[in-house]
Amino acid sequence: MNDSSWRAPATAGYWPPEQGAAPAGPAYDEHPAQQTRPMPIVPDGPANGGDQDDERGAAGPGGPQFRDKIPQEPMAAPPPPPQKKRAGRDLRAAIGVGLGLGAVVVVSLFVVKAVFIGVIAVAVVVGLWELTSRLDEKKGIKAPLIPLAVGGAAMVVAGYVRGAEGAWVAMALTALAVLVWRMTEPPEGYLRDVTAGIFAAFYVPFLATFVAMMLTADDGPRRVLMFLVLTVVSDTGAYAVGWRFGTHKLAPRISPGKTREGLLGAVVFAMAAGALCMQYIIDDGIWWQGLVLGLAVAASATLGDLGESMIKRDLGIKDMGTLLPGHGGIMDRLDSLLPTAPVVWLLLVIFVGTG
């Protein structure tokens, strides 16, 4: 409602007086007998566009007065009540899928290590398929999927069997395979396609090999479990605090939904979880090391999420896929895990060794 709707409407013949002089008119003249120009009285009626049922004012010193009919401004509609914040995804589906994936990971992790390596390899291949498919659909970039998928799975296995050396060798061979495979197509766009292919090989399978290398330690399953827990806790803390208290945008041009308050929530939650995990899960771990680890995880997970948001904005898509109801695609779940894996692996090697 604007200010004018609260003001009294001006009536004809009731003009505000000029400063220093008494206004003329029957309503303001102090001496009616001195009135030199009486206000003309025009009776309202059907001939003058009036209404015979108009109410007439009482007769005064200057003659009968009629109440002018002034059209009133319609009152503005009250603003709608504020809507409660809602999550952008199907929360029930997201929780159900998350619990199902967690069960598969935990069972494979603590039963047979080789099965968990297979789970990583499958996730890598599906992630590569999603990424290369979106690149082809939205940009016309044809990164060769077959050498990427074979090389990516081999990279994960090599990282588990031969460590960092094996992972680097597999990465180099995968890049070479991408270069050769693309030679079977016309030369137009060759550099663009192989560059995207090498980027995909580094972004998905190579970073995932650090999870496999964590598993090689004697307490490898617990290290991997802590890595997963810290990343999930960081994401959950960012979501919960940002949804409830977030007002200051973190990177509005990249991801408008992320806030500085959410980042603070990720740091606090991850540091608390890191202190507990290092103290009670990792052999020879100390709580303050967990604080450092939690801070690093919050930073890397946030950067990883923003990095994939940049890719999706460039491609003009919301999700990388639709395989996981409530989550999007596999890559939408790996975005914070992939860059966090080398960070956790390195800090654990520094704090407690290779085991």
Side-chain angles (χ1 to χ4, degrees), residues 5 7 10 89 103 108 114-116 152 173 218 285 306 318 337 346:
S5 62
R7 296 195 187 105
R89 299 184 183 274
S108 62
V115 175
F116 182 72
L173 293 176
D218 295 336
L306 290 174
K318 178 178 174 56
L337 290 168
L346 178 61

Side-chain angles (χ1 to χ4, degrees), residues 230-347:
L230 291 186
T231 308
V232 171
V233 167
S234 173
D235 288 346
T236 303
Y239 173 80
V241 175
W243 180 82
R244 182 64 181 86
F245 303 104
T247 56
H248 300 87
K249 300 297 184 182
L250 178 63
R253 297 182 62 184
I254 302 175
S255 182
K258 292 179 177 55
T259 62
R260 299 174 190 175
E261 292 82 2
L263 176 59
L264 180 61
V267 170
V268 172
F269 276 57
M271 289 180 71
L276 293 174
C277 289
M278 283 296 291
Q279 186 70 33
Y280 297 107
I281 294 180
I282 303 301
D283 294 338
D284 302 323
I286 306 174
W287 66 269
W288 67 263
Q289 297 171 342
L291 295 178
V292 176
L293 190 60
L295 177 62
V297 166
S300 61
T302 302
L303 291 174
D305 202 350
L306 290 174
E308 199 197 8
S309 294
M310 282 286 286
I311 296 173
K312 290 190 288 189
R313 280 196 169 276
D314 187 25
L315 296 177
I317 58 177
K318 178 178 174 56
D319 295 318
M320 281 291 187
T322 58
L323 187 62
L324 305 177
H327 292 268
I330 289 290
M331 285 301 299
D332 296 299
R333 293 300 88 203
L334 296 179
D335 55 0
S336 55
L337 290 168
L338 289 173
T340 302
V343 173
V344 174
W345 174 81
L346 178 61
L347 288 176

